[in-house]
PDB file of all heavy atoms in Angstrom:
ATOM      1  N   ALA J  21      -2.347  27.725   1.803  1.00  0.00           N
ATOM      2  CA  ALA J  21      -2.720  26.488   1.415  1.00  0.00           C
ATOM      3  C   ALA J  21      -4.243  26.217   1.373  1.00  0.00           C
ATOM      4  O   ALA J  21      -4.695  25.075   1.268  1.00  0.00           O
ATOM      5  CB  ALA J  21      -2.061  25.374   2.464  1.00  0.00           C
ATOM      6  N   ALA J  25      -5.099  21.556  -0.748  1.00  0.00           N
ATOM      7  CA  ALA J  25      -4.465  20.897   0.337  1.00  0.00           C
ATOM      8  C   ALA J  25      -3.045  20.453  -0.015  1.00  0.00           C
ATOM      9  O   ALA J  25      -2.878  19.493  -0.865  1.00  0.00           O
ATOM     10  CB  ALA J  25      -5.283  19.751   0.913  1.00  0.00           C
ATOM     11  N   ILE J  26      -2.033  20.966   0.572  1.00  0.00           N
ATOM     12  CA  ILE J  26      -0.647  20.712   0.228  1.00  0.00           C
ATOM     13  C   ILE J  26      -0.226  19.523   1.073  1.00  0.00           C
ATOM     14  O   ILE J  26      -0.173  19.513   2.241  1.00  0.00           O
ATOM     15  CB  ILE J  26       0.237  21.844   0.317  1.00  0.00           C
ATOM     16  CG1 ILE J  26      -0.267  23.046  -0.530  1.00  0.00           C
ATOM     17  CG2 ILE J  26       1.697  21.566   0.066  1.00  0.00           C
ATOM     18  CD1 ILE J  26       0.615  24.234  -0.305  1.00  0.00           C
ATOM     19  N   ALA J  27       0.327  18.448   0.340  1.00  0.00           N
ATOM     20  CA  ALA J  27       0.945  17.330   1.045  1.00  0.00           C
ATOM     21  C   ALA J  27       2.119  16.949   0.246  1.00  0.00           C
ATOM     22  O   ALA J  27       2.166  15.866  -0.426  1.00  0.00           O
ATOM     23  CB  ALA J  27      -0.085  16.142   1.238  1.00  0.00           C
ATOM     24  N   GLN J  28       3.230  17.712   0.228  1.00  0.00           N
ATOM     25  CA  GLN J  28       4.296  17.507  -0.628  1.00  0.00           C
ATOM     26  C   GLN J  28       5.095  16.299  -0.095  1.00  0.00           C
ATOM     27  O   GLN J  28       5.500  16.233   1.021  1.00  0.00           O
ATOM     28  CB  GLN J  28       5.151  18.757  -0.640  1.00  0.00           C
ATOM     29  CG  GLN J  28       6.404  18.680  -1.519  1.00  0.00           C
ATOM     30  CD  GLN J  28       7.236  19.917  -1.418  1.00  0.00           C
ATOM     31  OE1 GLN J  28       7.133  20.647  -0.567  1.00  0.00           O
ATOM     32  NE2 GLN J  28       8.149  20.229  -2.386  1.00  0.00           N
ATOM     33  N   MET J  42      -4.550  13.157   2.412  1.00  0.00           N
ATOM     34  CA  MET J  42      -5.181  13.438   3.756  1.00  0.00           C
ATOM     35  C   MET J  42      -4.374  14.586   4.415  1.00  0.00           C
ATOM     36  O   MET J  42      -3.131  14.479   4.447  1.00  0.00           O
ATOM     37  CB  MET J  42      -5.226  12.141   4.599  1.00  0.00           C
ATOM     38  CG  MET J  42      -6.013  12.298   5.819  1.00  0.00           C
ATOM     39  SD  MET J  42      -6.099  10.784   6.796  1.00  0.00           S
ATOM     40  CE  MET J  42      -4.571  10.793   7.633  1.00  0.00           C
ATOM     41  N   VAL J  43      -5.037  15.619   4.875  1.00  0.00           N
ATOM     42  CA  VAL J  43      -4.305  16.718   5.383  1.00  0.00           C
ATOM     43  C   VAL J  43      -4.740  16.843   6.881  1.00  0.00           C
ATOM     44  O   VAL J  43      -5.747  16.303   7.346  1.00  0.00           O
ATOM     45  CB  VAL J  43      -4.661  18.023   4.625  1.00  0.00           C
ATOM     46  CG1 VAL J  43      -4.219  17.872   3.195  1.00  0.00           C
ATOM     47  CG2 VAL J  43      -6.152  18.276   4.696  1.00  0.00           C
ATOM     48  N   THR J  44      -3.961  17.659   7.568  1.00  0.00           N
ATOM     49  CA  THR J  44      -4.264  17.991   8.949  1.00  0.00           C
ATOM     50  C   THR J  44      -5.621  18.641   9.028  1.00  0.00           C
ATOM     51  O   THR J  44      -5.850  19.636   8.258  1.00  0.00           O
ATOM     52  CB  THR J  44      -3.165  18.945   9.579  1.00  0.00           C
ATOM     53  OG1 THR J  44      -1.845  18.291   9.391  1.00  0.00           O
ATOM     54  CG2 THR J  44      -3.367  19.177  11.044  1.00  0.00           C
ATOM     55  N   GLY J  45      -6.394  18.294   9.856  1.00  0.00           N
ATOM     56  CA  GLY J  45      -7.800  18.919  10.033  1.00  0.00           C
ATOM     57  C   GLY J  45      -8.880  17.964   9.459  1.00  0.00           C
ATOM     58  O   GLY J  45      -9.984  18.459   9.452  1.00  0.00           O
ATOM     59  N   LEU J  60      -6.046  26.563   6.298  1.00  0.00           N
ATOM     60  CA  LEU J  60      -4.909  25.648   6.544  1.00  0.00           C
ATOM     61  C   LEU J  60      -3.619  26.371   5.915  1.00  0.00           C
ATOM     62  O   LEU J  60      -3.621  26.765   4.780  1.00  0.00           O
ATOM     63  CB  LEU J  60      -5.126  24.300   5.803  1.00  0.00           C
ATOM     64  CG  LEU J  60      -3.982  23.273   5.816  1.00  0.00           C
ATOM     65  CD1 LEU J  60      -3.787  22.790   7.239  1.00  0.00           C
ATOM     66  CD2 LEU J  60      -4.276  22.124   4.838  1.00  0.00           C
ATOM     67  N   ALA J  61      -2.598  26.370   6.750  1.00  0.00           N
ATOM     68  CA  ALA J  61      -1.338  26.976   6.277  1.00  0.00           C
ATOM     69  C   ALA J  61      -0.190  25.953   6.284  1.00  0.00           C
ATOM     70  O   ALA J  61      -0.293  25.106   7.129  1.00  0.00           O
ATOM     71  CB  ALA J  61      -0.985  28.184   7.155  1.00  0.00           C
ATOM     72  N   VAL J  62       0.670  26.149   5.418  1.00  0.00           N
ATOM     73  CA  VAL J  62       1.773  25.151   5.245  1.00  0.00           C
ATOM     74  C   VAL J  62       3.158  25.881   5.218  1.00  0.00           C
ATOM     75  O   VAL J  62       3.236  26.913   4.548  1.00  0.00           O
ATOM     76  CB  VAL J  62       1.686  24.338   3.999  1.00  0.00           C
ATOM     77  CG1 VAL J  62       2.900  23.395   3.842  1.00  0.00           C
ATOM     78  CG2 VAL J  62       0.445  23.435   4.082  1.00  0.00           C
ATOM     79  N   VAL J  63       4.063  25.424   6.010  1.00  0.00           N
ATOM     80  CA  VAL J  63       5.426  25.945   5.877  1.00  0.00           C
ATOM     81  C   VAL J  63       6.333  24.715   5.497  1.00  0.00           C
ATOM     82  O   VAL J  63       6.382  23.840   6.355  1.00  0.00           O
ATOM     83  CB  VAL J  63       6.020  26.525   7.197  1.00  0.00           C
ATOM     84  CG1 VAL J  63       7.421  27.047   7.071  1.00  0.00           C
ATOM     85  CG2 VAL J  63       5.051  27.626   7.650  1.00  0.00           C
ATOM     86  N   LEU J 118      -2.524  22.589  19.872  1.00  0.00           N
ATOM     87  CA  LEU J 118      -2.180  21.165  19.881  1.00  0.00           C
ATOM     88  C   LEU J 118      -0.991  20.877  18.956  1.00  0.00           C
ATOM     89  O   LEU J 118      -1.093  21.278  17.731  1.00  0.00           O
ATOM     90  CB  LEU J 118      -3.410  20.301  19.464  1.00  0.00           C
ATOM     91  CG  LEU J 118      -3.240  18.842  19.356  1.00  0.00           C
ATOM     92  CD1 LEU J 118      -2.822  18.203  20.758  1.00  0.00           C
ATOM     93  CD2 LEU J 118      -4.414  18.099  18.821  1.00  0.00           C
ATOM     94  N   LEU J 120       1.281  18.164  17.067  1.00  0.00           N
ATOM     95  CA  LEU J 120       1.244  16.747  16.613  1.00  0.00           C
ATOM     96  C   LEU J 120       2.602  16.522  15.859  1.00  0.00           C
ATOM     97  O   LEU J 120       3.180  17.386  15.257  1.00  0.00           O
ATOM     98  CB  LEU J 120       0.083  16.458  15.555  1.00  0.00           C
ATOM     99  CG  LEU J 120      -1.287  16.797  16.065  1.00  0.00           C
ATOM    100  CD1 LEU J 120      -2.331  16.461  14.926  1.00  0.00           C
ATOM    101  CD2 LEU J 120      -1.688  15.871  17.245  1.00  0.00           C
ATOM    102  N   ASN J 123       0.800  13.407  12.819  1.00  0.00           N
ATOM    103  CA  ASN J 123      -0.577  13.233  13.216  1.00  0.00           C
ATOM    104  C   ASN J 123      -0.837  12.652  14.615  1.00  0.00           C
ATOM    105  O   ASN J 123      -2.057  12.355  15.038  1.00  0.00           O
ATOM    106  CB  ASN J 123      -1.393  12.432  12.186  1.00  0.00           C
ATOM    107  CG  ASN J 123      -1.261  12.966  10.745  1.00  0.00           C
ATOM    108  OD1 ASN J 123      -1.708  14.070  10.560  1.00  0.00           O
ATOM    109  ND2 ASN J 123      -0.791  12.202   9.882  1.00  0.00           N
ATOM    110  N   ARG J 153       7.553  19.342   6.469  1.00  0.00           N
ATOM    111  CA  ARG J 153       6.718  20.498   6.458  1.00  0.00           C
ATOM    112  C   ARG J 153       5.893  20.662   7.789  1.00  0.00           C
ATOM    113  O   ARG J 153       5.850  19.727   8.545  1.00  0.00           O
ATOM    114  CB  ARG J 153       5.621  20.471   5.284  1.00  0.00           C
ATOM    115  CG  ARG J 153       4.587  19.351   5.361  1.00  0.00           C
ATOM    116  CD  ARG J 153       3.791  19.295   4.128  1.00  0.00           C
ATOM    117  NE  ARG J 153       2.741  18.220   4.258  1.00  0.00           N
ATOM    118  CZ  ARG J 153       2.951  16.936   4.097  1.00  0.00           C
ATOM    119  NH1 ARG J 153       4.065  16.557   3.909  1.00  0.00           N
ATOM    120  NH2 ARG J 153       1.899  16.086   4.226  1.00  0.00           N
ATOM    121  N   MET J 154       5.395  21.866   7.979  1.00  0.00           N
ATOM    122  CA  MET J 154       4.462  22.129   9.056  1.00  0.00           C
ATOM    123  C   MET J 154       3.078  22.449   8.511  1.00  0.00           C
ATOM    124  O   MET J 154       2.991  23.230   7.592  1.00  0.00           O
ATOM    125  CB  MET J 154       4.911  23.228   9.926  1.00  0.00           C
ATOM    126  CG  MET J 154       6.146  23.073  10.659  1.00  0.00           C
ATOM    127  SD  MET J 154       6.850  24.601  11.298  1.00  0.00           S
ATOM    128  CE  MET J 154       5.532  25.440  12.148  1.00  0.00           C
ATOM    129  N   GLU J 155       2.036  21.772   8.971  1.00  0.00           N
ATOM    130  CA  GLU J 155       0.744  22.120   8.502  1.00  0.00           C
ATOM    131  C   GLU J 155      -0.037  22.688   9.828  1.00  0.00           C
ATOM    132  O   GLU J 155      -0.007  22.131  10.801  1.00  0.00           O
ATOM    133  CB  GLU J 155      -0.044  20.892   7.996  1.00  0.00           C
ATOM    134  CG  GLU J 155       0.504  20.338   6.663  1.00  0.00           C
ATOM    135  CD  GLU J 155      -0.340  19.257   6.106  1.00  0.00           C
ATOM    136  OE1 GLU J 155      -1.241  18.667   6.858  1.00  0.00           O
ATOM    137  OE2 GLU J 155      -0.060  18.829   5.003  1.00  0.00           O
ATOM    138  N   ILE J 156      -0.680  23.879   9.532  1.00  0.00           N
ATOM    139  CA  ILE J 156      -1.284  24.549  10.625  1.00  0.00           C
ATOM    140  C   ILE J 156      -2.802  24.809  10.379  1.00  0.00           C
ATOM    141  O   ILE J 156      -3.030  25.496   9.386  1.00  0.00           O
ATOM    142  CB  ILE J 156      -0.565  25.920  10.873  1.00  0.00           C
ATOM    143  CG1 ILE J 156       0.986  25.650  11.102  1.00  0.00           C
ATOM    144  CG2 ILE J 156      -1.107  26.664  12.089  1.00  0.00           C
ATOM    145  CD1 ILE J 156       1.752  26.934  11.199  1.00  0.00           C
ATOM    146  N   VAL J 157      -3.648  24.192  11.187  1.00  0.00           N
ATOM    147  CA  VAL J 157      -5.029  24.487  11.196  1.00  0.00           C
ATOM    148  C   VAL J 157      -5.260  25.756  12.092  1.00  0.00           C
ATOM    149  O   VAL J 157      -4.972  25.673  13.318  1.00  0.00           O
ATOM    150  CB  VAL J 157      -5.861  23.307  11.599  1.00  0.00           C
ATOM    151  CG1 VAL J 157      -7.391  23.682  11.555  1.00  0.00           C
ATOM    152  CG2 VAL J 157      -5.569  22.129  10.679  1.00  0.00           C
ATOM    153  N   VAL J 173      -4.155  23.615  15.455  1.00  0.00           N
ATOM    154  CA  VAL J 173      -3.275  22.460  15.427  1.00  0.00           C
ATOM    155  C   VAL J 173      -2.080  22.813  14.591  1.00  0.00           C
ATOM    156  O   VAL J 173      -2.128  23.391  13.498  1.00  0.00           O
ATOM    157  CB  VAL J 173      -3.951  21.272  14.920  1.00  0.00           C
ATOM    158  CG1 VAL J 173      -3.107  20.027  14.831  1.00  0.00           C
ATOM    159  CG2 VAL J 173      -5.235  20.916  15.703  1.00  0.00           C
ATOM    160  N   VAL J 174      -0.848  22.481  15.098  1.00  0.00           N
ATOM    161  CA  VAL J 174       0.425  22.448  14.333  1.00  0.00           C
ATOM    162  C   VAL J 174       0.882  21.016  14.163  1.00  0.00           C
ATOM    163  O   VAL J 174       1.258  20.455  15.199  1.00  0.00           O
ATOM    164  CB  VAL J 174       1.363  23.348  15.033  1.00  0.00           C
ATOM    165  CG1 VAL J 174       2.698  23.371  14.110  1.00  0.00           C
ATOM    166  CG2 VAL J 174       0.803  24.735  15.204  1.00  0.00           C
ATOM    167  N   ASN J 175       0.912  20.535  13.061  1.00  0.00           N
ATOM    168  CA  ASN J 175       1.320  19.188  12.713  1.00  0.00           C
ATOM    169  C   ASN J 175       2.672  19.250  12.023  1.00  0.00           C
ATOM    170  O   ASN J 175       2.858  19.764  10.897  1.00  0.00           O
ATOM    171  CB  ASN J 175       0.258  18.489  11.796  1.00  0.00           C
ATOM    172  CG  ASN J 175       0.520  16.969  11.646  1.00  0.00           C
ATOM    173  OD1 ASN J 175       1.333  16.409  12.375  1.00  0.00           O
ATOM    174  ND2 ASN J 175      -0.260  16.453  10.757  1.00  0.00           N
ATOM    175  N   PHE J 176       3.630  18.581  12.703  1.00  0.00           N
ATOM    176  CA  PHE J 176       4.977  18.530  12.124  1.00  0.00           C
ATOM    177  C   PHE J 176       5.118  17.182  11.357  1.00  0.00           C
ATOM    178  O   PHE J 176       4.959  16.163  11.993  1.00  0.00           O
ATOM    179  CB  PHE J 176       6.051  18.614  13.232  1.00  0.00           C
ATOM    180  CG  PHE J 176       6.137  19.974  13.846  1.00  0.00           C
ATOM    181  CD1 PHE J 176       5.283  20.281  15.002  1.00  0.00           C
ATOM    182  CD2 PHE J 176       6.912  21.013  13.348  1.00  0.00           C
ATOM    183  CE1 PHE J 176       5.281  21.448  15.590  1.00  0.00           C
ATOM    184  CE2 PHE J 176       6.909  22.185  13.968  1.00  0.00           C
ATOM    185  CZ  PHE J 176       6.180  22.478  15.129  1.00  0.00           C
ATOM    186  N   ILE J 177       5.303  17.242  10.075  1.00  0.00           N
ATOM    187  CA  ILE J 177       5.292  16.092   9.246  1.00  0.00           C
ATOM    188  C   ILE J 177       6.701  15.770   8.709  1.00  0.00           C
ATOM    189  O   ILE J 177       7.266  16.700   8.117  1.00  0.00           O
ATOM    190  CB  ILE J 177       4.313  16.259   8.082  1.00  0.00           C
ATOM    191  CG1 ILE J 177       2.920  16.476   8.675  1.00  0.00           C
ATOM    192  CG2 ILE J 177       4.309  15.020   7.224  1.00  0.00           C
ATOM    193  CD1 ILE J 177       1.889  16.791   7.650  1.00  0.00           C
TER     194      ILE J 177
END
Side-chain angles (χ1 to χ4, degrees):
I26 298 175
Q28 183 181 18
M42 192 175 77
V43 297
T44 306
L60 176 68
V62 174
V63 182
L118 178 62
L120 302 177
N123 302 303
R153 67 189 184 277
M154 296 164 54
E155 293 184 349
I156 305 174
V157 179
V173 177
V174 181
N175 190 10
F176 294 87
I177 300 175

